[in-house]
Amino acid sequence: MTARNELRLLPWSGPGGKPCYLSTDDRSGYMSRLADNIEAIQLGTAAELLEQASETLDDQDGDGEEMRRLAKELTGALRDVLRVATSRGHLLAVSELHSI
């Protein structure tokens, strides 16, 4: 199994919003692939929301309710993307340590 500093931050939260981690040496195992797939979906959703946000902000007739909904969705997407970036940054750092 992996050392404590090599745990993978998963792209979902546990009870109470606490982070979930994966301890495995198998980067092609089921849970690793599941996490990779969910991260890809989260990044794709963020890209779609970014495009939608640009269109909504360009619309002079946009209403407040639509803006609040978009802001809420963007906040969730940003949270997901930040978690993915943190996880992948950590994985890169661990990978670099192993290649030294």
Side-chain angles (χ1 to χ4, degrees):
M1 291 309 256
T2 56
R4 178 154 172 75
N5 63 343
E6 296 179 14
L7 296 176
R8 177 180 180 173
L9 176 64
L10 293 172
W12 56 81
S13 298
K18 293 183 180 180
C20 292
Y21 295 92
L22 175 63
S23 175
T24 184
D25 292 331
D26 186 5
R27 291 196 176 183
S28 63
Y30 175 78
M31 289 302 293
S32 293
R33 288 191 327 262
L34 177 63
D36 290 342
N37 289 336
I38 290 175
E39 286 178 350
I41 290 167
Q42 290 172 329
L43 294 173
T45 298
E48 290 171 11
L49 281 170
L50 182 58
E51 186 175 320
Q52 182 183 352
S54 295
E55 292 170 4
T56 301
L57 292 171
D58 288 342
D59 181 8
Q60 299 296 325
D61 298 326
D63 67 2
E65 183 63 32
E66 184 178 1
M67 291 295 222
R68 281 187 292 281
R69 181 195 56 78
L70 181 60
K72 185 175 181 178
E73 290 179 8
L74 284 168
T75 300
L78 182 58
R79 185 178 301 113
D80 291 343
V81 168
L82 181 59
R83 185 181 295 125
V84 170
T86 300
S87 177
R88 290 186 181 183
H90 180 75
L91 289 175
L92 286 173
V94 168
S95 175
E96 289 175 2
L97 284 175
H98 286 267
S99 65
I100 294 177

